Amino acid sequence: MTFESVESAFPTSDRSPIRNLTRRPIWRWQLLRAAVMACLGWLLTLAHGAPIPLTTATFTTFIDGSASAPSIVALHHRWEVMPGPALSRARYDLVLPEVVSDEPYALLLSRVGNQVQVRLGDMVIYRGGRLGDDEFDAAKRPVLIPIPTNGAPATSLTGAKVTIDITAQPSRWAGLGAVQWGPVSELEVDFRWRYGWRVYGSIGTAVCFAIVALLAFWLWRIDQDTVYLKFCLGASLGVLVYFDRMVQGTPLPWSMWGPLVLGAILMHLFLMLDTALDVDATMSARSRRAFDLVSLVIVVLAVSLHLAHRSKELTWVL
């Protein structure tokens, strides 16, 4: 006699134990399976050497060619916001941790800028732009640096010294972000994720702003309402802003490109807000004029501070 015949001989309700047994939810088994696979992946990662975060570095600054006394800093570290005179050159020294396998190893820098040169001992293993070239900004993208062994076992890298020389321009993001050390196969996953968000995310956002700008311009041609024209201008500035976030090379020297991008960011934000206030139509004309005046003053003041190299607090937007 089969199980189905027994169940048909004894009718059960939806809440009976027999029916509940035949309809047991499978999500529990799926959750258990996922947990087992995660544990296996963790054990496999340990066997191949998991990435190790490097949390400190020896930091040295250079002013007029003279090196300062080295100091230990925690990573992630930004030196363009440090008190005192603006710095244009600095150096980070790292000591590589123990290598536990013979597969290729690498360093993953979440962010570094603006121009960078990385050396393993006396050998240059990476260049991000040319030191001192203000038309390049390596800080726009993460950096994955495979470490060469020149035929020696990978374990020979244990305790090796890596030197990162950096140059930066005033009012620009400068420093060294989070650093990871581990097998290339492990770090490539994190690198692709960071690269995708930085580059492809910016491309997608810029394309969306371009479509919105074209749509707003088309509506303005039909209706001749200045709200659409204002929104078109704001969205177009958004394209410029996100174009700058994904391109390392700039079309102009930083002394001209920096104020242009900063003004575009602020005008983009204010035009978007101004359009929303136009649609809401609850603010009085006097209040609107005051808002427009304050917005203009803020944009002019921010750009002026940038030109005067006194805008350390504004580097978060660049």
Side-chain angles (χ1 to χ4, degrees):
M1 181 177 294
T2 64
F3 181 84
E4 289 79 4
S5 61
V6 172
E7 187 177 7
S8 60
F10 299 91
T12 59
S13 64
D14 288 339
R15 296 184 179 180
S16 67
I18 294 179
R19 188 169 296 277
N20 287 339
L21 180 63
T22 60
R23 295 182 178 180
R24 184 182 298 276
I26 63 173
W27 65 267
R28 296 178 184 174
W29 298 106
Q30 292 174 343
L31 183 61
L32 179 61
R33 179 183 177 185
V36 172
M37 294 300 293
C39 291
L40 290 176
W42 178 69
L43 293 175
L44 186 63
T45 299
L46 289 181
H48 287 78
I52 300 174
L54 305 185
T55 58
T56 60
T58 303
F59 178 65
T60 307
T61 61
F62 296 86
I63 300 177
D64 297 329
S66 301
S68 66
S71 60
I72 304 299
V73 297
L75 302 177
H76 168 288
H77 181 256
R78 293 178 59 180
W79 50 273
E80 90 284 357
V81 295
M82 294 171 56
L87 303 174
S88 60
R89 184 185 172 193
R91 173 177 295 166
Y92 294 90
D93 291 311
L94 305 171
V95 177
L96 299 182
E98 180 183 5
V99 176
V100 297
S101 68
D102 289 330
E103 61 181 307
Y105 268 62
L107 282 171
L108 175 60
L109 314 182
S110 64
R111 197 173 189 186
V112 60
N114 302 119
Q115 300 86 41
V116 58
Q117 177 179 278
V118 182
R119 290 181 287 117
L120 176 65
D122 295 327
M123 179 176 56
V124 177
I125 58 176
Y126 175 79
R127 281 190 177 95
R130 187 177 70 255
L131 292 179
D133 180 12
D134 65 352
E135 295 186 17
F136 187 89
D137 188 3
K140 300 294 177 66
R141 301 178 184 180
V143 177
L144 182 65
I145 308 173
I147 306 298
T149 60
N150 297 326
T155 52
S156 64
L157 294 174
T158 300
K161 179 181 177 181
V162 172
T163 301
I164 304 176
D165 288 307
I166 297 174
T167 57
Q169 289 69 50
S171 304
R172 210 173 196 179
W173 195 100
L176 180 61
V179 179
Q180 294 187 71
W181 164 252
V184 175
S185 57
E186 297 290 338
L187 293 177
E188 278 181 339
V189 177
D190 194 4
F191 172 76
R192 286 195 295 267
W193 182 83
R194 292 176 183 273
Y195 188 92
W197 274 109
R198 293 268 184 89
V199 178
Y200 300 124
S202 297
I203 291 175
T205 306
V207 169
C208 291
F209 272 124
I211 294 174
V212 169
L214 291 174
L215 179 61
F217 182 75
W218 178 67
L219 291 173
W220 174 74
R221 290 292 300 273
I222 294 174
D223 200 16
Q224 295 295 311
D225 192 331
T226 56
V227 173
Y228 298 126
L229 186 60
K230 194 181 302 182
F231 194 77
C232 173
L233 179 58
S236 300
L237 291 174
V239 175
L240 174 61
V241 169
Y242 282 93
F243 171 80
D244 173 71
R245 289 188 179 277
M246 64 183 174
V247 176
Q248 291 181 308
T250 60
L252 297 171
W254 175 246
S255 58
M256 293 185 286
W257 184 250
L260 178 63
V261 173
L262 178 59
I265 293 173
L266 297 176
M267 287 302 300
H268 164 71
L269 295 174
F270 287 130
L271 284 172
M272 294 292 101
L273 180 58
D274 196 59
T275 304
L277 294 176
D278 282 337
V279 174
D280 184 53
T282 58
M283 184 179 289
S284 66
R286 183 177 180 180
S287 299
R288 284 304 308 277
R289 286 194 296 271
F291 172 80
D292 293 338
L293 179 61
V294 171
S295 301
L296 180 61
V297 170
I298 291 176
V299 172
V300 172
L301 180 61
V303 173
S304 300
L305 288 174
H306 187 281
L307 290 172
H309 304 324
R310 298 181 180 276
S311 55
K312 289 186 175 183
E313 295 77 9
L314 297 174
T315 54
W316 66 273
V317 299
L318 300 174

